Amino acid sequence: MNTELPIKRIAIFGSTGSIGTQALEVIASNPDKFSADVLTAHHNDELLIEQALKFNPNVVVIGDEKKYSKVKDALAATDVKVFGGEKALEEVAAMDCYDLMLAAIVGYAGLKPTLKAIENGKAIALANKETLVVAGDIIMKKAVENRVPIIPVDSEHSAIFQCLVGETRNKIEKIILTASGGPFIGRKPNYLVNVKREHALQHPNWSMGAKITIDSATLMNKGLEMIEAKWLFNLKPEQVQVVIHPQSIIHSMVQFEDGSLKAQMGLPDMKLPIQYALAFPKRIPNNFPRYDFKKVSTLTFEEPDVKTFRNLALAQDALFKGGNLPCIMNAANEIAVFAFLRNRINFLDMTNVIEKTMEQVPFIEHPTLEEYFDSDGEARNFASFFILSSSFRFRLMAAINGLR
């Protein structure tokens, strides 16, 4: 009897980003288990074309419609179907040409395609934490209604997920998300005020895209992960804890009601949680580097400094208050990070933008999906205006001081 499972068809939404490219490495190493049947990108047409020529997917989507003709022409000699535009992402997500979606589009942009895939009964390997931060209640409700498994890809949530396998009937006391602390662990505001883009992009342990690397440097990434964990594992806010673990060997832990702790450990390599999510419920072999206890180093833990890294405190406030506040916070953060990466604001200004936006955009305790969309737009508009007006005031004062 043939016990081999059929090849799992993977749709990678965000195939040119850090998660997407590593997922394709996993697929290339396991051609008897996976195929890349859908690839999507927003701007990076050249890499998308290169990926399509190598993996020969059924469908590709380029989100930037101005680049549609270039992608279509480059793939004209193949059987690959080419679509363009943001709406095409949702339309392809609803297609029956794949088995599992790897949701790896960065930020809020990943929400609608993921929601469409869930509504059409597709399993989700979730690498886009913002989807649950923005509308976790609606996403998880839809997943239950459509009997869709959501398998986390973030290393921390994958760790929790792995620790909970076989523990269905056992009550969780709390979960402990570990954080490396980023490149500025132990630093104080008088140092951070001078931090530049190139400094913040130098993460000590992980190789990630620009946005998530900046979020890691501000500890916002860990705040987003706290909110994501609440929804993924059906927890109360007080059951989610963060500790700084600079070595990034323990990826997270679960404490059960009897006081027992389970931890998932390994070297910091995103290909491991990606492979786990794609292959679940099976584990498959690989040649990734292993942690060697013969060369064991000290593993340390400490409380996060929320007075210096106030983004984590803001995220904790959003976690406890709920409603549309996490959505507002996420939108403001995306605008602030975008501005920082373009040298329009400094490192500490990002927190001010987020805090002011959370104060000004109206709070809704039980928002509908449309109200989430509206809150996101309103928060982005306010944050953008706040950055522009602050920049204008700064330039004006500099000019006035120059005349004195």
Side-chain angles (χ1 to χ4, degrees):
M1 184 176 67
N2 184 10
T3 58
E4 288 294 315
L5 294 172
I7 290 176
K8 190 180 293 185
R9 301 171 300 167
I10 310 298
I12 305 180
F13 278 64
S15 67
T16 60
S18 175
I19 295 294
T21 53
Q22 291 179 84
L24 286 172
E25 291 180 41
V26 171
I27 290 171
S29 298
N30 297 276
D32 58 327
K33 297 178 176 64
F34 311 118
S35 63
D37 280 62
V38 177
L39 302 176
T40 85
H42 185 61
H43 289 302
N44 198 341
D45 54 324
E46 292 186 2
L47 182 53
L48 181 64
I49 291 166
E50 180 184 323
Q51 292 173 341
L53 291 172
K54 179 178 179 179
F55 289 91
N56 193 35
N58 187 3
V59 175
V60 302
V61 182
I62 182 71
D64 186 345
E65 289 190 74
K66 297 190 292 294
K67 299 185 177 182
Y68 167 74
S69 295
K70 180 181 176 181
V71 176
K72 186 172 178 61
D73 291 346
L75 301 178
T78 72
D79 294 328
V80 178
K81 303 175 187 70
V82 181
F83 298 91
E86 296 300 322
K87 194 66 180 175
L89 291 169
E90 295 178 59
E91 293 168 353
V92 171
M95 290 182 177
D96 193 28
C97 59
Y98 67 97
D99 303 308
L100 178 143
M101 170 193 278
L102 174 59
I105 296 174
V106 175
Y108 172 83
L111 172 60
K112 290 183 180 180
T114 304
L115 186 59
K116 187 63 68 173
I118 291 171
E119 289 173 348
N120 284 274
K122 299 298 183 182
I124 307 295
L126 187 66
N128 172 287
K129 62 180 65 66
E130 291 86 354
T131 290
L132 292 184
V133 170
V134 170
D137 53 344
I138 291 173
I139 293 293
M140 296 309 293
K141 181 181 178 183
K142 291 282 187 183
V144 170
E145 289 174 354
N146 291 280
R147 298 184 177 181
V148 167
I150 297 182
I151 306 159
V153 172
D154 271 351
S155 62
E156 296 82 1
H157 301 91
S158 176
I160 299 298
F161 187 87
Q162 292 180 58
C163 288
L164 291 176
V165 171
E167 300 282 3
T168 308
R169 298 182 180 180
N170 294 318
K171 187 177 179 182
I172 299 171
E173 189 169 285
K174 66 178 176 180
I175 65 168
I176 303 161
L177 300 173
T178 56
S180 70
F184 308 127
I185 185 170
R187 299 293 190 176
K188 296 299 179 184
N190 60 346
Y191 175 90
L192 297 176
V193 73
N194 296 312
V195 161
K196 303 299 182 187
R197 176 185 186 275
E198 56 269 22
H199 304 142
L201 287 172
Q202 295 173 4
H203 196 281
N205 298 340
W206 296 94
S207 175
M208 306 175 290
K211 196 267 181 182
I212 192 173
T213 304
I214 300 302
D215 282 346
S216 180
T218 66
L219 292 192
M220 175 56 83
N221 189 51
K222 208 53 51 179
L224 297 174
E225 288 176 2
M226 292 180 75
I227 299 168
E228 181 185 9
K230 170 188 181 293
W231 295 114
L232 272 174
F233 306 113
N234 192 28
L235 301 171
K236 297 176 181 177
E238 55 269 24
Q239 290 178 285
V240 186
Q241 181 183 344
V242 169
V243 297
I244 302 297
H245 170 50
Q247 297 81 22
S248 297
I249 298 299
I250 293 179
H251 298 303
S252 278
M253 296 170 272
V254 178
Q255 183 168 302
F256 295 95
E257 63 179 346
D258 64 353
S260 295
L261 277 167
K262 285 177 74 173
Q264 190 267 333
M265 301 173 65
L267 292 175
D269 185 345
M270 277 307 301
K271 289 196 292 293
L272 183 55
I274 290 169
Q275 178 182 284
Y276 182 84
L278 298 187
F280 185 80
K282 293 188 68 176
R283 291 185 185 269
I284 59 177
N286 58 52
N287 60 359
F288 304 159
R290 267 54 171 171
Y291 184 67
D292 187 355
F293 279 93
K294 294 177 183 177
K295 301 176 182 177
V296 66
S297 59
T298 302
L299 303 182
T300 61
F301 306 90
E302 59 190 81
E303 284 292 306
D305 179 3
V306 294
K307 290 184 178 179
T308 299
F309 297 92
R310 293 194 299 118
N311 277 6
L312 182 56
L314 292 175
Q316 289 171 333
D317 289 344
L319 169 67
F320 276 85
K321 191 168 184 181
N324 67 336
L325 195 59
C327 174
I328 294 165
M329 179 197 71
N330 177 73
N333 180 63
E334 289 190 16
I335 294 297
V337 171
F338 181 88
F340 173 72
L341 285 170
R342 282 149 186 80
N343 300 311
R344 295 174 185 168
I345 59 176
N346 70 37
F347 188 82
L348 294 178
D349 284 338
M350 287 188 282
T351 301
N352 296 331
V353 172
I354 297 163
E355 184 174 39
K356 185 60 67 174
T357 306
M358 291 172 70
E359 290 172 356
Q360 293 299 316
V361 176
F363 175 71
I364 303 172
E365 188 171 1
H366 300 292
T368 63
L369 184 60
E370 285 303 316
E371 286 172 327
Y372 278 127
F373 295 154
D374 291 342
S375 296
D376 176 86
E378 191 171 349
R380 288 174 191 274
N381 288 337
F382 180 87
S384 298
F385 177 78
F386 183 74
I387 289 169
L388 285 172
S389 60
S390 298
S391 176
F392 174 77
R393 287 196 298 269
F394 176 80
R395 292 196 305 270
L396 179 62
M397 290 305 298
I400 292 171
N401 289 333
L403 293 173
R404 289 176 179 172

